Amino acid sequence: MSAELSPIDKAKFAAAKRAVGYVKDGMKVGLGTGSTAAWMVRCLAERAQREGLKLQCVPTSTRTAKLAGDLGLKVIPLDEAKWLDLTIDGTDEFDGDLNLIKGGGGALLQEKIVATASDQMIVIADVSKKVEALGAFPLPVEVIPFGWQTTKALLEELLESLDVMGRSTSLRMNGDAAYVTDEGNHILDLHLNRIGDARQLAMALNQIPGIVENGLFIDICDVVVLGSGDGSIQVHDINQGTIGEDKIDFLETDNLFTDLAD
Ligand code: 5RP
């Protein structure tokens, strides 16, 4: 497999493969969204099939629901699962406290609801996602379509009073039309460059009527599994305060996954 994939895809695959090792028979598992999460769904389906694991999976987007269902994983809605043992998801950024920016793939609302309804959230990432301070990646904020321009104006006024380096905002587009989330909302991307106080910003954003949720995940992630292109892994565990080292072997059987690279 390793010959066909880019180093970044090998890193995502390594993190995904290591992270599905946390899943045990009988668990209810939240499935994240994005290219790294897609590797995880494929690894999980392969493991479930090989070991005959009985899992119930709650996806965080229509995209992930389709992928998981196509691969034979049992998909149920969150309201049926009610509470999950574990959620595994990707991220756009993570800092030293394992706080995150998510939502680059537009699924932040379901992702936050599912991760918050889980005993444990494990994030899978390659080294490009690790930052000193959050904010280089534009922060996604989900807003309802009604009055979104007023919401945007209120948001820009709020940013004037907060410790951020940049303050421009943009409506996420899908071609010529505004991007629409699975919940029928729009996304405003905040180009902040550097966020001084992510916790304060997350709370302040959600006070504005019209904002449904923001992409800052504060104190939600428990573990980041960081993959590298050579198969080496770092496991950052915020509750244990440890950083462990591991290594994934790229096996011939992993050729099964080459179609997932995107
Ligand atoms: C989707 C997300 C994704 O987890 C995030 O965008 C990372 O995606 P990728 O693994 O493709 O880099 O938050 O809303």
Side-chain angles (χ1 to χ4, degrees):
M1 174 199 82
S2 27
E4 295 92 339
L5 291 182
S6 67
I8 202 91
D9 279 319
K10 284 194 271 183
K12 290 176 182 184
F13 174 80
K17 192 168 179 182
R18 175 64 170 74
V20 301
Y22 284 84
V23 177
K24 296 191 176 69
D25 192 25
M27 275 189 166
K28 295 177 189 169
V29 184
L31 307 178
T33 294
S35 59
T36 320
W39 284 109
M40 177 274 298
V41 173
R42 185 59 69 98
C43 289
L44 185 62
E46 189 273 335
R47 204 189 136 208
Q49 193 178 19
R50 183 165 33 85
E51 298 178 26
L53 302 180
K54 299 264 180 295
L55 306 174
Q56 293 177 293
C57 298
V58 175
T60 53
S61 62
T62 50
R63 269 169 291 161
T64 297
K66 177 161 185 353
L67 177 64
D70 287 352
L71 293 173
L73 289 166
K74 182 176 180 188
V75 171
I76 60 169
L78 181 59
D79 282 337
E80 188 180 326
K82 295 192 172 58
W83 195 261
L84 306 177
D85 297 287
L86 182 67
T87 283
I88 307 175
D89 201 348
T91 192
D92 296 302
E93 285 186 347
F94 73 94
D95 70 10
D97 295 324
L98 307 195
N99 291 324
L100 318 172
I101 286 183
K102 283 185 53 56
L108 69 103
L109 180 54
Q110 289 190 22
E111 289 172 337
K112 202 182 251 191
I113 293 170
V114 169
T116 303
S118 304
D119 283 340
Q120 194 178 29
M121 182 194 196
I122 296 176
V123 161
I124 46 180
D126 59 84
V127 284
S128 69
K129 308 294 180 67
K130 188 176 180 199
V131 295
E132 281 295 314
L134 299 173
F137 191 91
L139 174 64
V141 173
E142 184 153 343
V143 297
I144 63 166
F146 177 83
W148 72 266
Q149 297 194 47
T150 303
T151 304
K152 182 171 181 279
L154 286 168
L155 198 161
E156 285 166 354
E157 197 178 305
L158 170 75
L159 290 179
E160 288 303 322
S161 64
L162 293 178
D163 178 13
V164 290
M165 209 181 252
R167 292 187 168 81
S168 70
T169 64
S170 56
L171 179 68
R172 191 176 298 184
M173 302 298 288
N174 182 11
D176 291 338
Y179 178 87
V180 178
T181 69
D182 276 349
E183 270 65 43
N185 297 317
H186 296 326
I187 289 187
L188 296 173
D189 287 306
L190 314 189
H191 305 269
L192 308 175
N193 300 332
R194 190 175 198 284
I195 299 170
D197 187 337
R199 188 181 304 273
Q200 179 196 37
L201 176 61
M203 286 194 299
L205 286 170
N206 286 11
Q207 299 307 310
I208 296 177
I211 289 182
V212 183
E213 194 45 85
N214 68 81
L216 285 165
F217 283 49
I218 308 292
D219 296 338
I220 295 177
C221 172
D222 298 286
V223 171
V224 170
V225 179
L226 190 60
S228 297
D230 65 355
S232 59
I233 300 282
Q234 274 188 356
V235 180
H236 297 242
D237 186 321
I238 197 71
N239 303 312
Q240 309 277 343
T242 55
I243 302 178
E245 307 275 341
D246 205 348
K247 181 103 181 169
I248 293 291
D249 287 327
F250 296 121
L251 302 173
E252 285 306 310
T253 51
D254 295 336
N255 276 320
L256 283 170
F257 304 121
T258 51
D259 58 320
L260 256 187
D262 64 14

